[in-house]
mmCIF file of all heavy atoms in Angstrom:
data_model
loop_
_atom_site.group_PDB
_atom_site.id
_atom_site.type_symbol
_atom_site.label_atom_id
_atom_site.label_comp_id
_atom_site.label_asym_id
_atom_site.label_seq_id
_atom_site.Cartn_x
_atom_site.Cartn_y
_atom_site.Cartn_z
ATOM 1 N N PRO A 565 0.869 -1.247 -0.049
ATOM 2 C CA PRO A 565 -0.006 -0.005 0.028
ATOM 3 C C PRO A 565 0.886 1.258 0.036
ATOM 4 O O PRO A 565 0.339 2.336 -0.373
ATOM 5 C CB PRO A 565 -0.804 -0.049 1.311
ATOM 6 C CG PRO A 565 -0.027 -1.098 2.140
ATOM 7 C CD PRO A 565 0.643 -1.962 1.277
ATOM 8 N N ASN A 566 2.098 1.166 0.385
ATOM 9 C CA ASN A 566 2.974 2.398 0.401
ATOM 10 C C ASN A 566 3.693 2.607 -0.906
ATOM 11 O O ASN A 566 3.895 3.786 -1.283
ATOM 12 C CB ASN A 566 3.983 2.189 1.536
ATOM 13 C CG ASN A 566 3.366 2.110 2.897
ATOM 14 O OD1 ASN A 566 2.450 2.892 3.164
ATOM 15 N ND2 ASN A 566 3.872 1.244 3.698
ATOM 16 N N THR A 567 3.997 1.492 -1.679
ATOM 17 C CA THR A 567 4.770 1.687 -2.880
ATOM 18 C C THR A 567 3.958 1.330 -4.129
ATOM 19 O O THR A 567 4.361 1.776 -5.236
ATOM 20 C CB THR A 567 5.995 0.805 -2.876
ATOM 21 O OG1 THR A 567 5.565 -0.569 -2.872
ATOM 22 C CG2 THR A 567 6.817 1.002 -1.643
ATOM 23 N N SER A 568 2.903 0.659 -3.924
ATOM 24 C CA SER A 568 1.946 0.104 -5.047
ATOM 25 C C SER A 568 2.716 -0.900 -5.861
ATOM 26 O O SER A 568 2.209 -1.249 -6.976
ATOM 27 C CB SER A 568 1.471 1.329 -5.945
ATOM 28 O OG SER A 568 0.593 2.169 -5.211
ATOM 29 N N PHE A 569 3.845 -1.386 -5.405
ATOM 30 C CA PHE A 569 4.515 -2.457 -6.109
ATOM 31 C C PHE A 569 3.851 -3.788 -5.780
ATOM 32 O O PHE A 569 3.471 -3.980 -4.619
ATOM 33 C CB PHE A 569 6.002 -2.583 -5.836
ATOM 34 C CG PHE A 569 6.765 -1.404 -6.462
ATOM 35 C CD1 PHE A 569 7.568 -0.591 -5.657
ATOM 36 C CD2 PHE A 569 6.649 -1.231 -7.876
ATOM 37 C CE1 PHE A 569 8.236 0.457 -6.286
ATOM 38 C CE2 PHE A 569 7.442 -0.196 -8.490
ATOM 39 C CZ PHE A 569 8.138 0.673 -7.668
ATOM 40 N N PRO A 570 3.784 -4.835 -6.645
ATOM 41 C CA PRO A 570 3.196 -6.143 -6.309
ATOM 42 C C PRO A 570 3.974 -6.784 -5.118
ATOM 43 O O PRO A 570 5.265 -6.624 -5.123
ATOM 44 C CB PRO A 570 3.361 -6.960 -7.623
ATOM 45 C CG PRO A 570 3.401 -5.880 -8.655
ATOM 46 C CD PRO A 570 4.142 -4.655 -8.074
ATOM 47 N N ASN A 571 3.261 -7.389 -4.258
ATOM 48 C CA ASN A 571 3.996 -7.957 -3.111
ATOM 49 C C ASN A 571 3.594 -9.365 -2.867
ATOM 50 O O ASN A 571 4.296 -10.110 -2.094
ATOM 51 C CB ASN A 571 3.810 -7.139 -1.824
ATOM 52 C CG ASN A 571 2.485 -6.994 -1.353
ATOM 53 O OD1 ASN A 571 1.520 -7.658 -1.928
ATOM 54 N ND2 ASN A 571 2.204 -6.330 -0.322
ATOM 55 N N ALA A 572 2.455 -9.928 -3.431
ATOM 56 C CA ALA A 572 2.147 -11.338 -3.187
ATOM 57 C C ALA A 572 1.100 -11.764 -4.248
ATOM 58 O O ALA A 572 0.347 -11.003 -4.797
ATOM 59 C CB ALA A 572 1.484 -11.538 -1.730
ATOM 60 N N LYS A 573 1.103 -13.102 -4.431
ATOM 61 C CA LYS A 573 0.105 -13.789 -5.203
ATOM 62 C C LYS A 573 -0.789 -14.583 -4.260
ATOM 63 O O LYS A 573 -0.241 -15.548 -3.550
ATOM 64 C CB LYS A 573 0.818 -14.777 -6.272
ATOM 65 C CG LYS A 573 1.485 -14.060 -7.351
ATOM 66 C CD LYS A 573 1.900 -14.988 -8.504
ATOM 67 C CE LYS A 573 0.748 -15.595 -9.207
ATOM 68 N NZ LYS A 573 1.145 -16.336 -10.386
ATOM 69 N N ILE A 574 -2.061 -14.288 -4.164
ATOM 70 C CA ILE A 574 -2.931 -14.911 -3.236
ATOM 71 C C ILE A 574 -3.868 -15.841 -3.999
ATOM 72 O O ILE A 574 -4.571 -15.444 -4.914
ATOM 73 C CB ILE A 574 -3.766 -13.897 -2.391
ATOM 74 C CG1 ILE A 574 -2.887 -12.836 -1.843
ATOM 75 C CG2 ILE A 574 -4.558 -14.615 -1.476
ATOM 76 C CD1 ILE A 574 -2.006 -13.430 -0.793
ATOM 77 N N PHE A 575 -3.837 -17.132 -3.625
ATOM 78 C CA PHE A 575 -4.702 -18.099 -4.231
ATOM 79 C C PHE A 575 -6.098 -18.132 -3.679
ATOM 80 O O PHE A 575 -6.193 -18.069 -2.314
ATOM 81 C CB PHE A 575 -4.039 -19.545 -4.105
ATOM 82 C CG PHE A 575 -4.886 -20.670 -4.799
ATOM 83 C CD1 PHE A 575 -4.861 -20.673 -6.149
ATOM 84 C CD2 PHE A 575 -5.648 -21.484 -4.044
ATOM 85 C CE1 PHE A 575 -5.602 -21.735 -6.781
ATOM 86 C CE2 PHE A 575 -6.416 -22.379 -4.647
ATOM 87 C CZ PHE A 575 -6.399 -22.594 -6.025
ATOM 88 N N TYR A 576 -7.044 -18.111 -4.389
ATOM 89 C CA TYR A 576 -8.469 -18.056 -3.936
ATOM 90 C C TYR A 576 -9.401 -18.960 -4.793
ATOM 91 O O TYR A 576 -9.040 -19.318 -5.917
ATOM 92 C CB TYR A 576 -8.995 -16.675 -3.903
ATOM 93 C CG TYR A 576 -9.322 -16.130 -5.302
ATOM 94 C CD1 TYR A 576 -10.620 -16.060 -5.617
ATOM 95 C CD2 TYR A 576 -8.281 -15.706 -6.151
ATOM 96 C CE1 TYR A 576 -10.968 -15.571 -7.011
ATOM 97 C CE2 TYR A 576 -8.602 -15.205 -7.439
ATOM 98 C CZ TYR A 576 -9.912 -15.160 -7.871
ATOM 99 O OH TYR A 576 -10.189 -14.724 -9.084
ATOM 100 N N VAL A 577 -10.560 -19.301 -4.188
ATOM 101 C CA VAL A 577 -11.632 -19.938 -4.899
ATOM 102 C C VAL A 577 -12.912 -19.179 -4.643
ATOM 103 O O VAL A 577 -13.188 -18.981 -3.494
ATOM 104 C CB VAL A 577 -11.772 -21.414 -4.426
ATOM 105 C CG1 VAL A 577 -12.939 -22.016 -5.290
ATOM 106 C CG2 VAL A 577 -10.439 -22.142 -4.692
ATOM 107 N N ALA A 578 -13.616 -18.751 -5.681
ATOM 108 C CA ALA A 578 -14.701 -17.945 -5.592
ATOM 109 C C ALA A 578 -15.891 -18.722 -6.218
ATOM 110 O O ALA A 578 -15.811 -19.265 -7.346
ATOM 111 C CB ALA A 578 -14.578 -16.605 -6.280
ATOM 112 N N PHE A 579 -17.146 -18.525 -5.562
ATOM 113 C CA PHE A 579 -18.332 -19.134 -6.077
ATOM 114 C C PHE A 579 -19.312 -17.919 -6.246
ATOM 115 O O PHE A 579 -19.661 -17.375 -5.183
ATOM 116 C CB PHE A 579 -18.903 -20.245 -5.298
ATOM 117 C CG PHE A 579 -17.946 -21.404 -5.010
ATOM 118 C CD1 PHE A 579 -17.210 -21.475 -3.890
ATOM 119 C CD2 PHE A 579 -17.859 -22.346 -5.965
ATOM 120 C CE1 PHE A 579 -16.389 -22.495 -3.719
ATOM 121 C CE2 PHE A 579 -17.020 -23.338 -5.731
ATOM 122 C CZ PHE A 579 -16.234 -23.502 -4.615
ATOM 123 N N THR A 580 -19.662 -17.601 -7.383
ATOM 124 C CA THR A 580 -20.537 -16.464 -7.683
ATOM 125 C C THR A 580 -21.800 -16.821 -8.346
ATOM 126 O O THR A 580 -21.696 -17.499 -9.449
ATOM 127 C CB THR A 580 -19.818 -15.363 -8.390
ATOM 128 O OG1 THR A 580 -19.206 -15.887 -9.640
ATOM 129 C CG2 THR A 580 -18.625 -14.741 -7.641
ATOM 130 N N ALA A 581 -22.929 -16.481 -7.884
ATOM 131 C CA ALA A 581 -24.237 -16.718 -8.638
ATOM 132 C C ALA A 581 -24.305 -15.959 -9.873
ATOM 133 O O ALA A 581 -24.005 -14.727 -9.979
ATOM 134 C CB ALA A 581 -25.339 -16.466 -7.737
ATOM 135 N N ASN A 582 -24.772 -16.606 -10.998
ATOM 136 C CA ASN A 582 -24.919 -15.949 -12.261
ATOM 137 C C ASN A 582 -26.169 -15.069 -12.302
ATOM 138 O O ASN A 582 -27.096 -15.252 -11.550
ATOM 139 C CB ASN A 582 -24.958 -16.892 -13.361
ATOM 140 C CG ASN A 582 -23.663 -17.782 -13.448
ATOM 141 O OD1 ASN A 582 -22.692 -17.396 -12.972
ATOM 142 N ND2 ASN A 582 -23.722 -18.950 -14.085
ATOM 143 N N ASN A 583 -26.139 -14.105 -13.130
ATOM 144 C CA ASN A 583 -27.285 -13.225 -13.369
ATOM 145 C C ASN A 583 -27.792 -12.551 -12.109
ATOM 146 O O ASN A 583 -28.944 -12.409 -11.881
ATOM 147 C CB ASN A 583 -28.416 -14.044 -13.967
ATOM 148 C CG ASN A 583 -28.040 -14.704 -15.281
ATOM 149 O OD1 ASN A 583 -27.374 -14.092 -16.142
ATOM 150 N ND2 ASN A 583 -28.384 -15.995 -15.432
ATOM 151 N N LYS A 584 -26.922 -12.071 -11.334
ATOM 152 C CA LYS A 584 -27.197 -11.288 -10.116
ATOM 153 C C LYS A 584 -26.636 -9.950 -10.246
ATOM 154 O O LYS A 584 -25.581 -9.704 -10.737
ATOM 155 C CB LYS A 584 -26.700 -11.983 -8.766
ATOM 156 C CG LYS A 584 -27.198 -13.389 -8.607
ATOM 157 C CD LYS A 584 -28.732 -13.325 -8.215
ATOM 158 C CE LYS A 584 -29.262 -14.790 -7.913
ATOM 159 N NZ LYS A 584 -30.572 -14.811 -7.415
ATOM 160 N N GLU A 585 -27.339 -8.934 -9.754
ATOM 161 C CA GLU A 585 -26.810 -7.602 -9.721
ATOM 162 C C GLU A 585 -25.760 -7.395 -8.704
ATOM 163 O O GLU A 585 -25.968 -7.590 -7.512
ATOM 164 C CB GLU A 585 -27.942 -6.622 -9.449
ATOM 165 C CG GLU A 585 -29.116 -6.489 -10.449
ATOM 166 C CD GLU A 585 -28.586 -5.792 -11.740
ATOM 167 O OE1 GLU A 585 -27.588 -5.053 -11.637
ATOM 168 O OE2 GLU A 585 -29.153 -6.156 -12.776
ATOM 169 N N ALA A 586 -24.594 -7.003 -9.135
ATOM 170 C CA ALA A 586 -23.369 -6.832 -8.357
ATOM 171 C C ALA A 586 -23.555 -5.857 -7.141
ATOM 172 O O ALA A 586 -23.059 -6.046 -6.034
ATOM 173 C CB ALA A 586 -22.097 -6.488 -9.126
ATOM 174 N N GLU A 587 -24.348 -4.726 -7.377
ATOM 175 C CA GLU A 587 -24.592 -3.761 -6.384
ATOM 176 C C GLU A 587 -25.403 -4.300 -5.219
ATOM 177 O O GLU A 587 -25.383 -3.622 -4.147
ATOM 178 C CB GLU A 587 -25.102 -2.498 -6.959
ATOM 179 C CG GLU A 587 -24.087 -1.731 -7.765
ATOM 180 C CD GLU A 587 -24.534 -0.317 -8.107
ATOM 181 O OE1 GLU A 587 -25.603 0.146 -7.628
ATOM 182 O OE2 GLU A 587 -23.828 0.367 -8.840
ATOM 183 N N THR A 588 -26.214 -5.183 -5.393
ATOM 184 C CA THR A 588 -27.131 -5.710 -4.340
ATOM 185 C C THR A 588 -26.743 -7.063 -3.883
ATOM 186 O O THR A 588 -27.302 -7.535 -2.849
ATOM 187 C CB THR A 588 -28.566 -5.701 -4.813
ATOM 188 O OG1 THR A 588 -28.762 -6.552 -5.986
ATOM 189 C CG2 THR A 588 -29.050 -4.285 -5.111
ATOM 190 N N ARG A 589 -25.870 -7.777 -4.600
ATOM 191 C CA ARG A 589 -25.468 -9.097 -4.245
ATOM 192 C C ARG A 589 -24.439 -9.137 -3.200
ATOM 193 O O ARG A 589 -23.312 -8.612 -3.398
ATOM 194 C CB ARG A 589 -24.979 -9.948 -5.511
ATOM 195 C CG ARG A 589 -24.374 -11.323 -5.281
ATOM 196 C CD ARG A 589 -25.551 -12.294 -4.941
ATOM 197 N NE ARG A 589 -24.936 -13.630 -4.960
ATOM 198 C CZ ARG A 589 -25.515 -14.627 -4.438
ATOM 199 N NH1 ARG A 589 -26.799 -14.529 -3.935
ATOM 200 N NH2 ARG A 589 -25.035 -15.854 -4.426
ATOM 201 N N PRO A 590 -24.676 -9.629 -2.000
ATOM 202 C CA PRO A 590 -23.530 -9.731 -0.947
ATOM 203 C C PRO A 590 -22.374 -10.575 -1.433
ATOM 204 O O PRO A 590 -22.522 -11.516 -2.181
ATOM 205 C CB PRO A 590 -24.268 -10.371 0.231
ATOM 206 C CG PRO A 590 -25.729 -10.116 -0.050
ATOM 207 C CD PRO A 590 -25.891 -10.184 -1.530
ATOM 208 N N VAL A 591 -21.235 -10.233 -0.863
ATOM 209 C CA VAL A 591 -20.126 -11.109 -1.123
ATOM 210 C C VAL A 591 -19.325 -11.262 0.186
ATOM 211 O O VAL A 591 -19.150 -10.340 0.910
ATOM 212 C CB VAL A 591 -19.032 -10.429 -2.141
ATOM 213 C CG1 VAL A 591 -18.686 -8.951 -1.761
ATOM 214 C CG2 VAL A 591 -17.858 -11.292 -2.468
ATOM 215 N N THR A 592 -19.016 -12.569 0.450
ATOM 216 C CA THR A 592 -18.428 -12.902 1.715
ATOM 217 C C THR A 592 -17.024 -13.468 1.532
ATOM 218 O O THR A 592 -16.833 -14.369 0.668
ATOM 219 C CB THR A 592 -19.226 -14.010 2.475
ATOM 220 O OG1 THR A 592 -20.534 -13.456 2.687
ATOM 221 C CG2 THR A 592 -18.670 -14.317 3.808
ATOM 222 N N PHE A 593 -15.983 -12.949 2.296
ATOM 223 C CA PHE A 593 -14.667 -13.427 2.195
ATOM 224 C C PHE A 593 -14.398 -14.381 3.414
ATOM 225 O O PHE A 593 -14.619 -13.962 4.559
ATOM 226 C CB PHE A 593 -13.692 -12.248 2.197
ATOM 227 C CG PHE A 593 -13.884 -11.296 1.102
ATOM 228 C CD1 PHE A 593 -14.729 -10.199 1.129
ATOM 229 C CD2 PHE A 593 -13.326 -11.619 -0.165
ATOM 230 C CE1 PHE A 593 -14.906 -9.350 0.037
ATOM 231 C CE2 PHE A 593 -13.514 -10.705 -1.274
ATOM 232 C CZ PHE A 593 -14.371 -9.587 -1.164
ATOM 233 N N LEU A 594 -13.984 -15.550 3.055
ATOM 234 C CA LEU A 594 -13.885 -16.631 4.105
ATOM 235 C C LEU A 594 -12.383 -17.118 4.197
ATOM 236 O O LEU A 594 -11.612 -17.149 3.176
ATOM 237 C CB LEU A 594 -14.759 -17.789 3.832
ATOM 238 C CG LEU A 594 -16.245 -17.545 3.628
ATOM 239 C CD1 LEU A 594 -16.524 -17.334 2.116
ATOM 240 C CD2 LEU A 594 -17.066 -18.797 4.071
ATOM 241 N N TYR A 595 -11.983 -17.444 5.447
ATOM 242 C CA TYR A 595 -10.722 -18.022 5.592
ATOM 243 C C TYR A 595 -10.648 -18.942 6.881
ATOM 244 O O TYR A 595 -11.391 -18.602 7.881
ATOM 245 C CB TYR A 595 -9.549 -16.973 5.654
ATOM 246 C CG TYR A 595 -10.053 -15.706 6.178
ATOM 247 C CD1 TYR A 595 -10.263 -15.500 7.666
ATOM 248 C CD2 TYR A 595 -10.284 -14.579 5.526
ATOM 249 C CE1 TYR A 595 -10.799 -14.359 8.179
ATOM 250 C CE2 TYR A 595 -10.873 -13.367 5.963
ATOM 251 C CZ TYR A 595 -11.088 -13.256 7.349
ATOM 252 O OH TYR A 595 -11.530 -12.132 7.903
ATOM 253 N N ASN A 596 -9.751 -19.825 7.004
ATOM 254 C CA ASN A 596 -9.586 -20.516 8.255
ATOM 255 C C ASN A 596 -8.515 -19.821 9.094
ATOM 256 O O ASN A 596 -8.273 -18.631 9.006
ATOM 257 C CB ASN A 596 -9.145 -22.045 7.875
ATOM 258 C CG ASN A 596 -10.387 -22.834 7.646
ATOM 259 O OD1 ASN A 596 -10.720 -22.990 6.389
ATOM 260 N ND2 ASN A 596 -10.929 -23.427 8.614
ATOM 261 N N GLY A 597 -7.729 -20.573 9.980
ATOM 262 C CA GLY A 597 -6.931 -19.908 10.913
ATOM 263 C C GLY A 597 -5.540 -20.424 10.906
ATOM 264 O O GLY A 597 -4.793 -20.423 9.936
ATOM 265 N N GLY A 598 -5.173 -21.106 12.079
ATOM 266 C CA GLY A 598 -3.804 -21.540 12.179
ATOM 267 C C GLY A 598 -3.053 -20.783 13.289
ATOM 268 O O GLY A 598 -3.209 -21.063 14.447
ATOM 269 N N PRO A 599 -2.256 -19.832 13.000
ATOM 270 C CA PRO A 599 -1.961 -19.339 11.559
ATOM 271 C C PRO A 599 -1.241 -20.542 10.865
ATOM 272 O O PRO A 599 -0.510 -21.286 11.356
ATOM 273 C CB PRO A 599 -0.928 -18.144 11.768
ATOM 274 C CG PRO A 599 -1.199 -17.738 13.187
ATOM 275 C CD PRO A 599 -1.521 -18.939 13.984
ATOM 276 N N GLY A 600 -1.512 -20.604 9.443
ATOM 277 C CA GLY A 600 -0.883 -21.509 8.696
ATOM 278 C C GLY A 600 -1.907 -22.488 7.973
ATOM 279 O O GLY A 600 -1.451 -23.416 7.379
ATOM 280 N N SER A 601 -3.141 -22.257 8.181
ATOM 281 C CA SER A 601 -4.168 -23.120 7.638
ATOM 282 C C SER A 601 -4.698 -22.505 6.327
ATOM 283 O O SER A 601 -4.950 -21.265 6.214
ATOM 284 C CB SER A 601 -5.274 -23.323 8.577
ATOM 285 O OG SER A 601 -6.277 -24.072 8.035
ATOM 286 N N SER A 602 -4.874 -23.273 5.277
ATOM 287 C CA SER A 602 -5.526 -22.936 4.071
ATOM 288 C C SER A 602 -7.091 -22.843 4.310
ATOM 289 O O SER A 602 -7.587 -23.174 5.463
ATOM 290 C CB SER A 602 -5.289 -23.853 2.966
ATOM 291 O OG SER A 602 -5.939 -25.017 3.230
ATOM 292 N N ALA A 603 -7.735 -22.447 3.362
ATOM 293 C CA ALA A 603 -9.153 -22.295 3.472
ATOM 294 C C ALA A 603 -9.970 -23.572 3.130
ATOM 295 O O ALA A 603 -11.219 -23.532 3.012
ATOM 296 C CB ALA A 603 -9.783 -21.180 2.546
ATOM 297 N N VAL A 604 -9.205 -24.693 2.849
ATOM 298 C CA VAL A 604 -9.881 -25.883 2.425
ATOM 299 C C VAL A 604 -10.884 -26.483 3.372
ATOM 300 O O VAL A 604 -11.918 -27.054 3.077
ATOM 301 C CB VAL A 604 -8.756 -26.959 2.072
ATOM 302 C CG1 VAL A 604 -8.063 -27.399 3.350
ATOM 303 C CG2 VAL A 604 -9.388 -28.076 1.352
#
């Protein structure tokens, strides 16, 4: 955020419903813990 240079590649899996309005469709970001656990 200070330099705007790329600092990481984050792997994710997203499930998005088709034909939904983006402005009214909620989006939830999920993760496990650990520290060191993936989201599997």
Side-chain angles (χ1 to χ4, degrees):
N566 296 318
T567 66
S568 293
F569 288 125
N571 63 3
K573 290 186 68 172
I574 307 294
F575 182 75
Y576 73 103
V577 178
F579 302 98
T580 54
N582 299 341
N583 303 319
K584 300 289 184 180
E585 291 293 333
E587 287 197 5
T588 58
R589 174 70 172 170
V591 57
T592 301
F593 299 93
L594 307 91
Y595 32 74
N596 278 90
S601 176
S602 70
V604 67

